[in-house]
Amino acid sequence: MKIRIELDDSLDDVEVVIRASRLTAEIEQIQQTLIQGNRPQIVFYKGSSEYFLDLADILFFEADGARIFAHSRKNAYEVKLKLYELEEILPVYFCRISKSSIANTRSIYSLDKSFSGTSTIRFYDTVKQIHVSRHYYQLLKEKLREVR
């Protein structure tokens, strides 16, 4: 691996570019390290309690009216961020799957396509499932190929 730092006083912000022939676990780890240094902590709420969970434990985020919920295998927690805000700060293995949902692609067990155009995602070790809209189906398939 080569590391090169270029100084350019015309830039207003730091830009990091990673060039590689393919996405590997090592590159993904570098990306996560860089993002985490810049990423705000996501706080999860349930009742009057605040939870600080590992994002790998979250199966999907889902909008329910004006509220956003994060679903783990056994629980659902409210999040005070909008879906578009979550998209900007979530790790690369999360993918938008509909206008109202973002899924953790590492937790996906199966993807069942239906005749109506929507597909269903099933997750490991839980009965929870969520639907993928036709618009986001191909994006999800590509993300699953990259991440796996």
Side-chain angles (χ1 to χ4, degrees):
M1 174 185 340
K2 295 189 290 185
I3 298 176
R4 186 174 70 202
I5 297 175
E6 296 176 2
L7 302 176
D8 184 347
D9 56 359
S10 67
L11 294 174
D12 293 330
D13 202 5
V14 175
E15 176 183 346
V16 177
V17 177
I18 299 173
R19 290 191 178 98
S21 60
R22 61 186 175 85
L23 184 62
T24 64
E26 180 183 30
I27 292 171
E28 199 171 278
Q29 182 63 41
I30 292 168
Q31 180 189 26
Q32 290 310 310
T33 302
L34 290 169
I35 290 172
Q36 295 209 325
N38 239 358
R39 179 183 352 175
Q41 175 70 34
I42 298 174
V43 180
F44 301 89
Y45 300 90
K46 190 169 185 176
S48 60
S49 299
E50 293 182 358
Y51 296 87
F52 301 91
L53 305 172
D54 184 355
L55 287 174
D57 294 334
I58 301 301
L59 302 174
F60 60 93
F61 292 88
E62 177 179 48
D64 184 11
R67 298 166 67 188
I68 306 297
F69 291 94
H71 292 263
S72 67
R73 282 174 176 68
K74 295 182 180 177
N75 292 302
Y77 304 89
E78 188 170 357
V79 177
K80 303 292 183 189
L81 298 168
K82 304 288 185 206
L83 285 177
Y84 71 87
E85 294 170 323
L86 285 168
E87 272 187 303
E88 292 175 7
I89 62 174
L90 286 170
V92 67
Y93 54 88
F94 279 87
C95 180
R96 180 75 91 143
I97 58 167
S98 70
K99 285 174 92 174
S100 61
S101 306
I102 299 172
N104 179 345
T105 57
R106 289 185 173 166
S107 297
I108 294 176
Y109 173 69
S110 71
L111 181 58
D112 303 324
K113 192 163 180 141
S114 70
F115 292 114
S116 65
T118 60
S119 302
T120 303
I121 292 175
R122 298 182 198 285
F123 298 96
Y124 291 105
D125 302 325
T126 185
V127 296
K128 290 188 178 183
Q129 56 187 28
I130 192 163
H131 298 286
V132 181
S133 71
R134 283 180 284 162
H135 179 73
Y136 290 95
Y137 180 80
Q138 198 58 41
L139 175 66
L140 175 62
K141 293 277 289 186
E142 289 171 18
K143 182 71 79 165
L144 285 169
R145 285 187 195 104
E146 285 176 15
V147 174
R148 303 263 168 173

